[in-house]
Amino acid sequence: MSKRTHHPPPEPGRDRPPARPRLAVLRPASGARAVGLIGMLLTSVAHTHAGERRVVIGHDGRMPLERAAGLGVAAKRFAATGQVECGGVRGVGQVTASADVVTSAAHVFFDEAGRPRAAQGRCVFIVDGPEGRQTIPLTPSAQLCGSTSPYGVSGRHDWGAARLAHPIAGIRAYELGTRVKAGDPIAVVAFEGGRKTVDVCHIRDVVTTETGARELRTDCVGFDGMSGAAYLTLDKTPKVLAVHVGFRSADPGAVMAYSDRHYTFGAAIGQVLRRALASAR
């Protein structure tokens, strides 16, 4: 499996799926041509239009966070969500389980060749706290990631965590969720044009391997820059159920109903991640 950072659009007509679509790999390497149907949603730090590429399942219900109160979504509950910039790419992260630990997707921290993105440029967490916007250095660690080669393994292992240079005061860390099943509603908070937006959507399937690693498949909207965003419960104290990895689709640009050929997905919180976060405290 491979992930995709932002790069120039492919040549017209070159990345259309065949008449009978089959799953393939969407290559993200610099200058590469998109040739398949699996995509991970990072964007370049220099790229300012994070919502350029959208994958819509059913309908696009994403809205500015401050307008979501009518859905029972209070903006202040989601203060722990921020942006991760690491080695020239941008994803989403969130303060989780501890005031100095951020969770995200492993491919936010490691590139297509398995190299640490932190070795290629600064790695920081940007979050709006009680004292205004803060930019805090963070240190990804191989011991806190499901894989250091996330582009070559199942998306179920594409989770990661990093330790902040110092705890963030005034922001309540998300707790870890436990039980999840198909049909459960979730909130996914991310950033579009520097503005926090939220999608209230649903888990549509829970896929479990023999090792117990789980993938959550959803009907949530996906877009560039969303990698690492948490799938959160709608409780008064939101809990992290998974981190967003990407999408699989026979035709990513088409608005289609959820199916086994058109969905977004994330790596679920499991025992390995729980142990990693416990060791980071």
Side-chain angles (χ1 to χ4, degrees):
M1 181 183 296
S2 190
K3 282 73 176 171
R4 177 184 188 269
T5 54
H6 176 76
H7 58 76
E11 299 174 25
R14 295 293 298 277
D15 74 335
R16 298 296 298 174
R20 297 184 64 183
R22 58 186 178 84
L23 292 181
V25 176
L26 185 59
R27 297 287 180 186
S30 178
R33 175 171 59 90
V35 297
L37 312 172
I38 303 175
M40 310 310 161
L41 301 167
L42 281 175
T43 191
S44 161
V45 168
H47 184 59
T48 57
H49 301 289
E52 178 181 46
R53 180 181 59 160
R54 298 182 83 80
V55 179
V56 180
I57 295 92
H59 74 285
D60 191 342
R62 183 162 284 275
M63 67 180 69
L65 185 56
E66 63 270 18
R67 286 174 43 198
L71 299 175
V73 178
K76 64 181 180 181
R77 296 179 191 168
F78 302 101
T81 296
Q83 296 181 86
V84 174
E85 293 184 359
C86 199
V89 302
R90 179 186 293 122
V92 178
Q94 42 279 320
V95 186
T96 308
S98 177
D100 63 349
V101 175
V102 168
T103 55
S104 189
H107 69 269
V108 174
F109 301 131
F110 291 90
D111 70 9
E112 298 88 340
R115 297 170 299 203
R117 294 193 189 276
Q120 304 166 47
R122 73 170 191 165
C123 206
V124 298
F125 182 60
I126 304 168
V127 66
D128 293 319
E131 300 178 0
R133 179 155 293 186
Q134 301 180 58
T135 300
I136 306 166
L138 78 167
T139 305
S141 166
Q143 286 69 42
L144 299 180
C145 289
S147 175
T148 57
S149 300
Y151 288 78
V153 299
S154 165
R156 299 175 179 86
H157 304 290
D158 196 349
W159 54 263
R163 187 185 292 279
L164 292 165
H166 59 79
I168 302 176
I171 290 181
R172 181 172 182 170
Y174 295 133
E175 299 173 8
L176 296 178
T178 52
R179 298 177 181 177
V180 61
K181 64 182 184 303
D184 284 352
I186 56 172
V188 185
V189 179
F191 293 80
E192 297 180 81
R195 187 182 192 184
K196 252 182 194 179
T197 62
V198 63
D199 191 9
V200 177
C201 41
H202 293 83
I203 303 294
R204 300 297 295 267
D205 197 8
V206 180
V207 180
T208 307
T209 66
E210 294 180 357
T211 63
R214 295 178 300 165
E215 175 181 295
L216 304 188
R217 298 180 179 179
T218 81
D219 57 14
C220 307
V221 172
F223 58 88
D224 289 335
M226 189 173 148
S227 286
Y231 294 173
L232 296 161
T233 64
L234 295 179
D235 305 335
K236 290 184 178 179
T237 55
K239 298 176 179 61
V240 179
L241 298 172
V243 293
H244 182 73
V245 174
F247 66 87
R248 297 188 184 96
S249 178
D251 190 353
V255 178
M256 297 188 292
Y258 174 90
S259 73
D260 61 0
R261 290 190 172 275
H262 191 67
Y263 58 87
T264 49
F265 68 98
I269 300 298
Q271 290 303 316
V272 178
L273 175 52
R274 289 177 186 277
R275 289 195 294 269
L277 291 176
S279 70
R281 295 179 185 177

